[in-house]
Amino acid sequence: MTMRGWPLIKILPKTTNFHFVKYARVAAVLSVVLCVASLVSIIVPGLNMGIDFRGGAAMELTRSGGQTLDLGGVRGAVDALNIGEVGVQGIDTDSSAIVRFQIPDGQEQTVVVQRVQTAISGVVSDVTFSGVSVVGSKVSGELFSKGLWALGMAVVLMFAYIWFRFEPQFGFGAVAGLVHDVILTFGLIVLFKLEFNLNMVAAILTVIGYSMNDTVVVFDRLRENLRKYKTMPLREVIDLSINETLSRTIITGLTAVMVLAALAIYGGAALFGFSLALMFGIIIGTYSSIYVGAPIILLWGVRRGARDEEAKAIKLGMASRP
């Protein structure tokens, strides 16, 4: 099937004339409120740290013959050991689950894991254990700090790239959009009590990359239109640039969201949080390109005279070549 034959593309209009800048102030207030609420939620109640960052162990248990697994009985058996916080989460079928628990300080990891398996076997018959993973507290602390460093370096490098390719106000607008997306994604993680682990760090890094890609598309069209419409008011040029890239943004975003929705439904509990964070990040990344990055350029302004001189210098340089 060709691109022209896809019915969903025919639904999208070829040209749109939405006045995005008109609602920039309302969107700015909404973004500030949501960002503040997300920052507060990171502190209280805080992130639900996974064993990657908190230290502990996780294992998958399955009851043979497809028999129903009593999740409450499993949780009670592990709680009775008094080893700290315990989490029991069912998987696709009623006969399988993932058990997460902490490793108390000063106790051998293998010994604690064996105690947990023995306690579960005492209340559930015909159960097998697999996929046991253990992360120490020191390693988990190092992983958490390195994860934060990775997020910070990604934002800094993106800012440097945009600054080099465009102008400072473009770079500042892009970074403001990235920070906005990261903060709101953290807020989503806290709101839905998703486990924050290395998969979530990968999801946030992917959100940063997608948001930056979408922002570059809008900024590149804006730069072209600034050279093309030299006397048009800046707010109208911004609206025009967003409208010209809107169909591409919608098609790309919907395609990615559909794939991630399938991954969230059929990928199991281990990939649900990752998929949900990515879907939210793609949607909020599109929003930030329109209502965070572009309005900052409107407030800052652009030097069209300098831009015209640069364009003339490039043309003269090309004309002078033999």
Side-chain angles (χ1 to χ4, degrees), residues 241-280:
S241 302
I242 297 175
N243 278 287
E244 288 180 347
T245 57
L246 188 60
S247 60
R248 175 263 176 203
T249 300
I250 293 176
I251 293 173
T252 304
L254 281 179
T255 303
V257 168
M258 286 190 294
V259 173
L260 291 170
L263 185 63
I265 296 173
Y266 299 107
L271 295 177
F272 177 78
F274 173 83
S275 305
L276 184 61
L278 268 181
M279 283 191 289
F280 176 80

Side-chain angles (χ1 to χ4, degrees), residues 176-224:
L178 292 182
V179 174
H180 170 274
D181 298 342
V182 170
I183 292 176
L184 291 190
T185 304
F186 271 108
L188 177 83
I189 294 172
V190 176
L191 178 64
F192 287 93
K193 298 181 181 179
L194 302 176
E195 185 177 286
F196 186 72
N197 48 30
L198 289 177
N199 285 342
M200 281 300 178
V201 174
I204 295 175
L205 288 173
T206 307
V207 168
I208 291 175
Y210 182 90
S211 176
M212 178 56 66
N213 177 72
D214 196 59
T215 301
V216 166
V217 170
V218 175
F219 283 1
D220 201 46
R221 183 58 59 89
L222 176 58
R223 181 173 58 178
E224 293 177 3

Side-chain angles (χ1 to χ4, degrees), residues 100-114:
R100 295 179 176 85
F101 52 92
Q102 292 180 276
I103 303 293
D105 295 335
Q107 297 189 25
E108 290 290 336
Q109 298 173 350
T110 55
V111 174
V112 175
V113 171
Q114 184 61 46

Side-chain angles (χ1 to χ4, degrees), residues 42-273:
I42 294 174
I43 302 174
V44 180
L47 293 169
N48 178 27
M49 296 292 188
I51 62 171
D52 295 328
F53 299 137
R54 184 176 54 190
M59 68 176 69
E60 182 177 338
L61 52 97
T62 304
R63 198 173 185 188
S64 61
Q67 303 178 66
T68 302
L69 190 63
D70 182 10
L71 301 182
V74 172
R75 183 179 290 105
V78 182
D79 278 332
L81 299 177
N82 295 321
I83 57 176
E85 185 176 350
V86 177
V88 180
Q89 184 177 15
I91 311 181
D92 295 334
T93 63
D94 296 334
S95 60
S96 301
I98 296 178
V99 181
R100 295 179 176 85
F101 52 92
Q102 292 180 276
I103 303 293
D105 295 335
Q107 297 189 25
E108 290 290 336
Q109 298 173 350
T110 55
V111 174
V112 175
V113 171
Q114 184 61 46
R115 288 175 58 198
V116 171
Q117 292 178 346
T118 302
I120 295 175
S121 300
V123 297
V124 181
S125 59
D126 301 326
V127 63
T128 57
F129 303 93
S130 61
V132 180
S133 60
V134 180
V135 179
S137 57
K138 182 178 179 180
V139 175
S140 63
E142 293 178 354
L143 289 175
F144 183 70
S145 61
K146 289 180 179 179
L148 293 181
W149 272 108
L151 295 177
M153 286 301 299
V155 173
V156 171
L157 291 175
M158 292 295 182
F159 173 70
Y161 167 73
I162 292 295
W163 195 334
F164 174 78
R165 180 169 178 176
F166 297 97
E167 293 181 7
Q169 60 268 42
F170 285 84
F172 184 75
V175 170
L178 292 182
V179 174
H180 170 274
D181 298 342
V182 170
I183 292 176
L184 291 190
T185 304
F186 271 108
L188 177 83
I189 294 172
V190 176
L191 178 64
F192 287 93
K193 298 181 181 179
L194 302 176
E195 185 177 286
F196 186 72
N197 48 30
L198 289 177
N199 285 342
M200 281 300 178
V201 174
I204 295 175
L205 288 173
T206 307
V207 168
I208 291 175
Y210 182 90
S211 176
M212 178 56 66
N213 177 72
D214 196 59
T215 301
V216 166
V217 170
V218 175
F219 283 1
D220 201 46
R221 183 58 59 89
L222 176 58
R223 181 173 58 178
E224 293 177 3
N225 286 335
L226 285 172
R227 294 172 178 171
K228 186 176 181 180
Y229 304 101
K230 299 178 182 180
T231 59
M232 181 183 293
L234 181 57
R235 62 188 301 115
E236 295 182 11
V237 178
I238 292 176
D239 277 338
L240 175 64
S241 302
I242 297 175
N243 278 287
E244 288 180 347
T245 57
L246 188 60
S247 60
R248 175 263 176 203
T249 300
I250 293 176
I251 293 173
T252 304
L254 281 179
T255 303
V257 168
M258 286 190 294
V259 173
L260 291 170
L263 185 63
I265 296 173
Y266 299 107
L271 295 177
F272 177 78

